Amino acid sequence: MTESISILGIESSCDDTAAAVVTARDGQAHVLSSVVSGQDDLHAAFGGVVPEIAARAHAERLDLCVEKALAEAGLDLSDVDAIAVTAGPGLIGGVLSGVMCAKGLSLGSGKPLLGVNHLAGHALTPRMTDAVAFPYLMLLVSGGHCQFLIVEGAEDFTRLGGTIDDAPGEAFDKTARLLGLGYPGGPLVEQEAKSGDAKRFKFPRPLLDREGCDMSFSGLKTALRRARDKIIEEKGGITLQDRADLCAGFQAAVADTLAEKSRRACLAFQASTGKQSAVFAVAGGVAANSVIRDALTGAAEQTGMRFLAPPLKYCTDNAAMIAWAGVELYRTGHRDDLTLSARPRWPLDKTAAPMLGSGKKGAKA
Ligand code: KG4
Ligand code: ZN
């Protein structure tokens, strides 16, 4: 008989409340349901995620999301093999809401509990969507994260580098706020940039002069604000064309930086694993940006790697990836119990030096 594992996944580490059921059978992942309840409307007025508001919304919505996910999957709690929940890193109030919900379900049903690292959920997604074999290279690029990882096993990650300050999604959101666009800023900045001249403003490509894969995006935001203020000083305000040019220039700077650092990460991956033509995969909301996707595809092509972007609904925060990471953990024999704690910080690479700083979405682990 072929092995079949069904896991209920729960995610609440940032501003999406999510529950999903994933079954692994015949070497394939089947996403039976994936429910995501977003909170953009609750945070839009603030231009970023407000932790307390997020935590309260999670607490209100978790039960409903779990119920819906089980109903859509056509399963009862007694049918799943385990309950996987994001136990960090993230905004602690949200993570706690999810962990407490999962503990209650585990206690009530007698099903084992699996604490999943949110970043591992993102990093293992290509195995769920495309059955990608280990090892592969992953770029996590979202509102709270930006890092390159060599993924060699369900619990075996090597961090090649990442941002030393802001994550790119955060920089997109701040840019949108500086230019009076809405929230979340990424899609709006991308839309504006379409009618802009990317060459008009010379924005910095930070840390390209430094070896390795580390990145920095906070200086870019300052450069953008200066450019905006200069136009206002000279002309008394900014035109729609000025705004489009600023967006295009900013987006090009992020894309160029990610492309060059990706090229270096691909080379470092090849040197470390001896594999020349493996997968270079991306996850996180910024992967929705088509200019950035093209830049990453180019970096992969230059180095002989194969670029892979999973469907966007599994690139952004969702619980199917947590359920899938649960499948992988379950297979290794890993089990947690009611002592599982919620962790605001939880680096994937146990050997990496701790990161500095903490942004609007908490730890940039
Ligand atoms: O992965 P995600 O949904 O949530 C986390 O941050 O964990 O990513 C959301 C981030 C936001 O900062 C948003 O502005 C950015 O991804 N984003 C984009 C685009 N779509 C979403 N950034 C650039 N271009 C886009 N098209
Ligand atoms: Zn995420």
Side-chain angles (χ1 to χ4, degrees), residues 16-362:
D16 291 298
T17 317
V21 179
V22 173
T23 295
R25 195 186 314 115
D26 302 329
Q28 270 196 321
H30 304 269
V31 179
L32 303 188
S33 62
S34 180
V35 176
V36 181
S37 171
Q39 305 176 359
D40 284 352
D41 51 333
L42 298 181
H43 304 289
F46 306 95
V49 179
V50 183
E52 185 59 26
I53 294 176
R56 282 171 194 270
H58 287 308
E60 278 168 16
R61 298 177 187 187
L62 275 162
D63 289 4
L64 293 171
C65 286
V66 167
E67 229 171 75
K68 198 161 173 226
L70 286 169
E72 283 180 17
L75 296 182
D76 196 73
L77 197 52
S78 59
D79 298 322
V80 304
D81 293 288
I83 299 156
V85 61
T86 299
L91 298 174
I92 193 63
V95 179
L96 261 174
S97 302
V99 167
M100 295 314 287
C101 171
K103 282 185 181 177
L105 292 170
S106 169
L107 193 61
S109 65
K111 299 291 176 182
L113 189 63
L114 303 166
V116 169
N117 183 309
H118 177 84
L119 305 173
H122 279 304
L124 295 169
T125 299
R127 293 174 53 73
M128 174 177 83
T129 58
D130 294 81
V132 173
F134 298 124
Y136 56 92
L137 176 66
M138 163 61 64
L139 168 63
L140 268 183
V141 63
S142 70
H145 321 296
C146 181
Q147 57 182 303
F148 292 103
L149 294 164
I150 299 178
V151 186
E152 293 195 82
E155 292 178 283
D156 188 355
F157 305 93
T158 307
R159 192 176 183 284
L160 292 175
T163 185
I164 58 166
D165 41 53
D166 290 354
E170 191 176 357
F172 268 94
D173 293 337
K174 286 177 178 168
T175 293
R177 203 160 7 148
L178 282 171
L179 297 177
L181 299 166
Y183 174 84
L188 300 162
V189 171
E190 181 176 13
Q191 187 56 34
E192 284 286 311
K194 285 192 178 131
S195 50
D197 173 6
K199 298 212 166 67
R200 178 171 156 203
F201 298 99
K202 302 272 170 291
F203 290 128
R205 271 63 173 158
L207 299 194
L208 284 196
D209 54 343
R210 201 196 283 180
E211 268 182 47
C213 302
D214 279 342
M215 290 163 279
S216 160
F217 295 98
S218 73
L220 200 48
K221 173 192 65 198
T222 312
L224 182 116
R225 194 180 54 234
R226 286 219 184 96
R228 180 202 66 173
D229 291 349
K230 190 156 172 274
I231 306 171
I232 295 175
E233 218 173 274
E234 286 167 1
K235 300 200 292 195
I238 62 168
T239 64
L240 289 176
Q241 192 57 53
D242 292 332
R243 188 162 80 178
D245 293 345
L246 286 166
C247 285
F250 164 80
Q251 181 175 264
V254 176
D256 284 355
T257 306
L258 285 172
E260 172 54 19
K261 295 292 176 167
S262 296
R263 196 185 64 79
R264 292 185 199 175
C266 286
L267 295 175
F269 171 90
Q270 289 166 333
S272 160
T273 63
K275 299 243 183 276
Q276 300 304 311
S277 57
V279 164
F280 168 40
V282 70
V286 179
N289 186 292
S290 54
V291 172
I292 291 174
R293 262 182 200 235
D294 289 349
L296 301 180
T297 308
E301 274 167 9
Q302 274 177 36
T303 53
M305 298 278 279
R306 183 164 71 82
F307 182 68
L308 173 76
L312 199 61
K313 63 181 172 181
Y314 300 131
C315 277
T316 53
D317 285 352
N318 67 91
M321 69 178 190
I322 302 304
W324 174 257
V327 168
E328 302 246 24
L329 279 181
Y330 190 86
R331 281 181 178 149
T332 66
H334 179 106
R335 301 289 183 271
D336 287 298
D337 58 26
L338 296 178
T339 61
L340 176 70
S341 40
R343 301 173 62 174
R345 287 186 177 243
W346 185 359
L348 266 186
D349 181 341
K350 296 170 193 84
T351 63
M355 293 300 294
L356 297 170
S358 159
K360 70 177 170 115
K361 295 191 174 176

